[in-house]
Amino acid sequence: MTAIRVLVVEDEPLLAEAHSAYTERVPGFVVVGVAHSARAAMAALRANAGGDVDLVLLDFRLPDLHGLDVCRALRAAGSSVDVLAVTSARDLAVVRTAVSLGVTHYLLKPFTFAAFRDKLERYADYRAQALADGEVAAQHEVDQMFATLRGTAGHSLPKGLDAQTLDRVRAALTDGTRPEVGLSATEVSALTGISRVTARRYLEYLVTVERAARTPRYGTPGRPEVEYRPR
C-alpha cells in the first residue's frame, strides 16, 4: 500500500519537529512537508493539485489564522484532504465546529506517542476501507468504517483496564530500547511502574486487538519467556 503523505502544520518549531518524528515512526506514513503558519500551510495545499498530501496534522492556534479558518478555506476550495487536529483547544464549540468541517480526528496536547500512533493507525485502517473498490454490502460495513475511524463500537476497554495505563504500556513497547527483540511483561513492568501481572494483562489485551504481537524468547534457563512487540 502506498505510504500516507502527511503535512505537519505547527507554529512551534520544536513541536513541529517532534510531530514529524512521531509520524515517521508509524509504519505507512511519511512526512512530505512542514508549515509553521496558516499561510504556509495553505500555500502547500494549493500546490496539492496532484494529491501530494493525504493528511494534515493541524495545530489550531496558529500565529496568522485559526486552524478552523484553514479548514473552512480548504472546504470552500473543494479540497477533500483529511485533517487531524493536534491542538490544546478544549472549547466544545471548537470541537463541534471541527466535526462539522470534516476533521477526521481531534488529538489534545499534550499526548503520548502511543495515543498519537493510535490515531494514525485508526486513520490508516479507515482509509484502507474507504478507498477500496466496489460498494458496501450491508449497514454493518458502514458501521465498521465509522467505528474504526472514531474508536467507538468494539473499542471499549475490558473491565479493570484503563486508557491511561494502556497508553503507558503501549509507550513502553514503542519507545523501548530493544524493539528488535521486544519486551517481556517484567521489562514493561519496570518501565511503567505497574506490577508484572498488570503489565501482562495489558500486553495480552494489545495482542487481542492486534496492536501487539507475542513471541517466545529463548536463550534463558527453563521455559522460554514471552516477549511482546508493537504491531
Side-chain angles (χ1 to χ4, degrees):
M1 184 177 176
T2 303
I4 296 171
R5 297 157 296 188
V6 178
L7 173 67
V8 175
V9 183
E10 167 61 58
D11 65 319
E12 294 288 342
L14 289 178
L15 286 179
E17 184 178 345
H19 297 170
S20 296
Y22 272 10
T23 302
E24 294 281 359
R25 288 175 59 188
V26 181
F29 289 81
V30 59
V31 175
V32 295
V34 176
H36 298 298
S37 67
R39 180 176 296 179
M42 293 301 297
L45 292 166
R46 278 195 296 271
N48 187 37
D52 298 326
V53 176
D54 302 307
L55 178 66
V56 181
L57 301 187
L58 180 63
D59 180 23
F60 277 179
R61 292 174 174 169
L62 298 169
D64 52 346
L65 200 64
H66 196 282
L68 289 176
D69 291 322
V70 174
C71 292
R72 290 188 183 95
L74 288 174
R75 301 316 178 211
S79 173
S80 60
V81 67
D82 290 319
V83 176
L84 193 166
V86 182
T87 177
S88 58
R90 287 169 164 76
D91 191 321
L92 284 175
V94 172
V95 176
R96 289 194 300 271
T97 303
V99 172
S100 72
L101 291 171
V103 170
T104 303
H105 275 309
Y106 199 103
L107 182 59
L108 285 173
K109 300 176 183 177
F111 51 83
T112 65
F113 173 68
F116 181 86
R117 177 180 177 135
D118 183 68
K119 295 295 186 188
L120 262 61
E121 287 176 340
R122 285 185 176 282
Y123 171 75
D125 290 345
Y126 160 78
R127 183 179 173 84
Q129 295 174 64
L131 294 182
D133 293 330
E135 59 183 37
V136 294
Q139 178 65 43
H140 76 273
E141 293 187 7
V142 177
D143 293 341
Q144 179 58 44
M145 287 178 62
F146 279 91
T148 298
L149 183 61
R150 301 300 182 192
T152 52
H155 194 63
S156 58
L157 292 176
K159 185 177 181 180
L161 303 188
D162 68 84
Q164 185 175 8
T165 304
L166 182 63
D167 275 355
R168 288 162 59 195
V169 171
R170 290 196 67 189
L173 281 185
T174 55
D175 295 338
T177 57
R178 298 187 300 160
E180 71 280 0
V181 296
L183 295 172
S184 68
T186 300
E187 290 163 338
V188 170
S189 170
L191 288 168
T192 59
I194 61 179
S195 72
R196 181 180 60 82
V197 172
T198 300
R200 178 164 294 171
R201 287 186 62 204
Y202 280 90
L203 290 165
E204 288 297 325
Y205 169 74
L206 289 173
V207 172
T208 300
V209 297
E210 299 183 347
R211 296 302 185 190
R214 180 202 313 114
T215 56
R217 179 189 291 175
Y218 298 99
T220 57
R223 297 176 61 185
E225 191 172 18
V226 175
E227 64 183 25
Y228 302 83
R229 296 185 182 88
R231 294 185 64 174

